Structures are given as structure tokens and as C-alpha cells.
Amino acid sequence: MRIDYRILWFEDNAFSYSTKKTFVKDIIEDFGFNFVEPRNEVDGSNIETIPYSMYDLIIADMSLANGSTSIKLMDAIRKKSVFTEVLFYSSNGEKAVREELAKYAIDGAYCSGRDNDDFEFKVREVIHTLIRKTQDLNSLRGLVMAETSELDKKMEDISFYYFVQNKSEESDSLFDEILKKVEDDYRQNLQRSTNCDKKCTHKIRKKSIEEIITSLAFDSSRKARTLNKIIERIGFSIKEYGIETSFYNAYLEDIIRTRNLLAHSQSRINAGGTEILVSKIDGNEISFDDENIKEIRQRILLYEKLLDNLYQTLTSSERH
């Protein structure tokens, strides 16, 4: 399960490929998936060595420069027990594609003309259909949970770089601030406890920075709070990512709160017969449908981009 969307493409016209690839990229990102640069084959000469299992969709121009048709290639691919869905298109129009396709017993095939408007409409419908067919809401919930764990790892890597690999007096001072906040949190928890005599001594300061950053105690909230301080310290702009509040507050609402709600949600069929995921907070029900999950994936991609650029900013500033 992944948020990446991979396409195998057969097209020998570079201009057509470039134009249509732009349409497909926008569509995939609009559905909240990460567009991975497609593998484009111009003549089908590599059909024996292509790792088909890694692709979510095959897109193919019906006529290739070497005189063969991509439908014949697909017939050969199907005989290899590869059943990834395919969208065929042709400058002769959708009808011509269907007539050619009728000569072969190829399952999971869709047809389109080469016209950009027709192609864009068809590819959007095909991708949306495949997403809904292959990933029910519970599977999409799992995808979101997995991807938020990846965000945790990115925040951990940034913290490790700033406080360990690029260690300085400034980073040591900042980490001391973070430790004081962690200690305050523990003290507040102890004040609420009725099972502790509160005579214990906290041992967090005996741990190295590396141990603290990689420990379970350094959870998503603390990672986000730490990155908030790093962002403020180095003057990294987050407004270009549509974040008007602090990184910590935005991440808490957009990612952590949403992840926690999804983690405790249950599948339900609504009055319209559509599957939704339902969670409760403070006695109120919050529901997630396919559209909500798409928006969550889009937010995850935004934070992935932000964190990648933050890491790049830190590492490039050291080199210069």
C-alpha cells in the first residue's frame, strides 16, 4: 500500500507524451496521490523485462512507429498473466480503438481518442474507477496511517540532522529548551497521578540526543513541536504551503488529529448506501468518505513536500 501512483506508458510521439503526461500528473495529484515519473516505452521491445507488478495503470497509443499496435503488445503482456488495467488511445478516435480491440480478448481495457479533451476526461474516469475499485475506505485508512508514519520518520531525520549531524551551540541551546518542555509535561502528568508518590527522578537528561529523538517518548506531537522551533530559528517560510498559523498548530490539526480519528474509526454504510468511516470525539461523530480521504492524502503530500524542502534547506545551507 502506498501513496505513489505509477504508470507504464507506450508512446513514440515525444510531444504528445509530454502534453498528456501533464494532464495525468494533475489528475493523479488532484486525487491525492504522488505522481511518479512514468516509464515510457516507444516500441515495446522491452516487454520481456518490464517489472509489470509495480505499475498501477498502463497507458498506450494504439499505433507505434515500428508498425505494430500496442494492442498486439498488450495481448502478449496478458499472456504473461499481467492484468494491470490499460487505457488505449488513437488519433483515429475511440471507435477505431474499440474495433481493433474487438479482435483480441483483452480484459480490463479502456478506450479513448487522442484528442486532449477526450483523453483527459477518460483518464480521469479510469484512474478514479481504479482507485475506488482496488482500495475501499478501510484500505485507504491504512494507506493514510502508513504515510503519516513516513512523515514521522521525515521529522525524525530532520531533528537528527539539526541536533546531531550539524550540532552547534545554537542547536544544543534549542534542544535544552525542548528537554525542559518534555520535563514539564512529565511533571504535569505526575501531578494528575494518584498512584505515584512523586519522589522519583526523571532520567531523560541521562540519555543522549540520539536516544531521545529515536525514542517512543519523542512522539509525533513532540517531533512537530521540535520542527516548529527549527523552522522559526532558521526562518524557513511555510506560508507558501498555505499554512498561516504555526507549523505545530497546523500539523496538529491537519495530520495528528486526523490520524488519531481514523485510527479509532469504524466502517459504516450511510443512508445513501455508501461506505463511510465514523469516529467520535467529545461525544460527537465525525465521518470520513472517499472525498475526505482524498483531501487527507493531498494534505499528506503537502507536508511531505514541506519536510523534504526543509531538509534540503538545512543540508544545502551547511554546504554553502
Side-chain angles (χ1 to χ4, degrees), residues 14 57 118 211:
L57 175 65
D118 186 35
E211 290 175 315

Side-chain angles (χ1 to χ4, degrees), residues 9 14-24 116 119:
W9 207 310
F15 178 77
S16 179
Y17 172 68
S18 178
T19 301
K20 287 176 168 51
K21 185 174 69 171
T22 300
F23 295 148
V24 174
N116 287 335
F119 176 84

Side-chain angles (χ1 to χ4, degrees), residues 270-296:
N270 66 13
T274 302
E275 182 188 17
I276 59 173
L277 298 173
V278 179
S279 186
K280 285 188 177 182
I281 181 170
D282 298 329
N284 299 315
E285 286 192 348
I286 297 178
S287 62
F288 299 90
D289 58 17
D290 186 55
E291 186 67 20
N292 298 135
I293 297 292
K294 182 187 80 171
E295 293 170 358
I296 293 167

Side-chain angles (χ1 to χ4, degrees), residues 31-279:
F31 282 126
F33 284 85
N34 180 44
F35 176 78
V36 178
E37 183 69 20
R39 171 171 177 164
N40 184 38
E41 298 289 329
V42 298
D43 58 12
S45 60
N46 297 317
I47 63 170
E48 296 299 324
T49 59
I50 294 173
Y52 296 99
S53 61
M54 70 181 293
Y55 295 102
D56 301 291
L57 175 65
I58 299 173
I59 299 177
D61 179 13
M62 192 174 73
S63 301
L64 299 176
N66 61 1
S68 65
T69 69
S70 57
I71 292 181
K72 290 181 180 178
L73 293 175
M74 203 54 53
D75 186 45
I77 291 171
R78 287 290 191 259
K79 289 176 180 177
K80 296 167 66 66
S81 297
V82 175
F83 295 100
T84 304
E85 276 84 353
V86 56
L87 172 66
F88 293 108
Y89 60 94
S90 171
S91 56
N92 294 324
E94 179 180 337
K95 182 179 179 182
V97 179
R98 293 193 181 282
E99 289 175 351
E100 180 68 17
L101 192 60
K103 302 174 185 178
Y104 301 87
I106 298 177
D107 296 322
Y110 303 86
C111 305
S112 169
R114 181 181 282 275
D115 177 77
N116 287 335
D117 288 339
D118 186 35
F119 176 84
E120 186 175 4
F121 171 77
K122 289 292 176 59
V123 78
R124 176 178 290 276
E125 291 303 306
V126 168
I127 291 173
H128 190 208
T129 298
L130 294 181
I131 290 172
R132 297 184 67 177
K133 184 167 65 175
T134 61
Q135 295 184 319
D136 60 21
L137 279 180
N138 274 306
S139 295
L140 289 171
R141 172 178 60 179
L143 183 148
V144 170
M145 304 301 289
E147 291 298 325
T148 53
S149 294
E150 288 298 314
L151 292 179
D152 270 1
K153 182 61 169 60
K154 287 179 184 290
M155 290 194 294
E156 184 178 307
D157 289 344
I158 291 169
S159 300
F160 189 83
Y161 178 83
Y162 187 77
F163 293 111
V164 179
Q165 293 177 288
N166 199 30
K167 179 181 173 67
S168 66
E169 289 185 6
E170 184 178 33
S171 68
D172 284 347
S173 173
L174 180 56
F175 202 79
D176 190 60
E177 290 181 28
I178 293 166
L179 282 185
K180 288 178 180 177
K181 174 59 180 172
V182 173
E183 289 172 329
D184 287 343
D185 289 345
Y186 278 118
R187 290 192 189 97
Q188 290 178 20
N189 289 334
L190 285 175
Q191 291 302 320
R192 291 192 292 267
S193 173
T194 58
N195 299 317
C196 177
D197 60 12
K198 303 175 183 62
K199 295 180 181 180
C200 52
T201 300
H202 199 275
K203 298 181 179 180
I204 192 168
R205 288 195 177 271
K206 294 183 179 181
K207 296 179 179 290
S208 67
I209 294 177
E210 295 96 318
E211 290 175 315
I212 295 171
I213 290 174
T214 57
S215 69
L216 293 177
F218 203 68
D219 60 14
S220 298
S221 179
R222 289 196 174 104
K223 287 183 174 74
R225 193 184 296 276
T226 297
L227 259 68
N228 190 78
K229 290 183 176 294
I230 294 174
I231 286 169
E232 291 176 348
R233 188 65 62 93
I234 71 172
F236 181 80
S237 175
I238 59 175
K239 286 189 176 182
E240 64 184 89
Y241 302 93
I243 299 175
E244 297 297 332
T245 182
S246 69
F247 173 84
Y248 174 72
N249 288 334
Y251 195 86
L252 197 66
E253 177 66 23
D254 291 341
I255 302 297
I256 296 177
R257 177 178 179 273
T258 300
R259 181 197 62 191
N260 292 344
L261 285 171
L262 282 173
H264 298 94
S265 65
Q266 294 181 330
S267 178
R268 183 184 300 176
I269 303 298
N270 66 13
T274 302
E275 182 188 17
I276 59 173
L277 298 173
V278 179
S279 186

